[in-house]
Amino acid sequence: MSGSPLARGEGRTTALAAVRSSLTAARAYLRGVMGADAYEKYLEYHRAETAAGRCDHAAMTEREFWRDHADRQDANPQGRCC
């Protein structure tokens, strides 16, 4: 039985890959729900707009983005309890 996939550890490798894939997907989902991926989405949008010729300024740094994000939320509070 030394030639079977389980004896060679292939089943374990496949199971670990499945767990890793699930954890990666869960992390991406939670980042999206919490808004932690907002800067990455902004950069993707900025690259697309620049490539299409609709944007001619440099992208904001991450610090500038989050400061602008917080300022917009303070100016237009929506769905917040406080």
Side-chain angles (χ1 to χ4, degrees):
M1 204 178 216
S2 64
S4 72
L6 291 179
R8 291 190 306 255
E10 291 175 13
R12 188 174 353 158
T13 303
T14 304
L16 288 175
V19 169
R20 184 176 290 133
S21 176
S22 296
L23 290 173
T24 300
R27 180 180 183 269
Y29 172 75
L30 289 174
R31 283 178 49 84
V33 169
M34 300 300 291
D37 62 348
Y39 182 66
E40 288 88 4
K41 288 181 180 180
Y42 160 73
L43 288 177
E44 289 175 16
Y45 172 79
H46 189 271
R47 279 188 215 105
E49 291 296 302
T50 301
R54 293 186 291 262
C55 180
D56 61 352
H57 63 277
M60 289 185 273
T61 64
E62 188 169 5
R63 183 179 185 132
E64 291 169 334
F65 172 81
W66 287 114
R67 184 170 289 149
D68 181 65
H69 183 74
D71 290 346
R72 286 181 194 216
Q73 284 185 332
D74 288 343
N76 302 306
Q78 298 173 358
R80 294 186 352 196
C81 67
C82 307

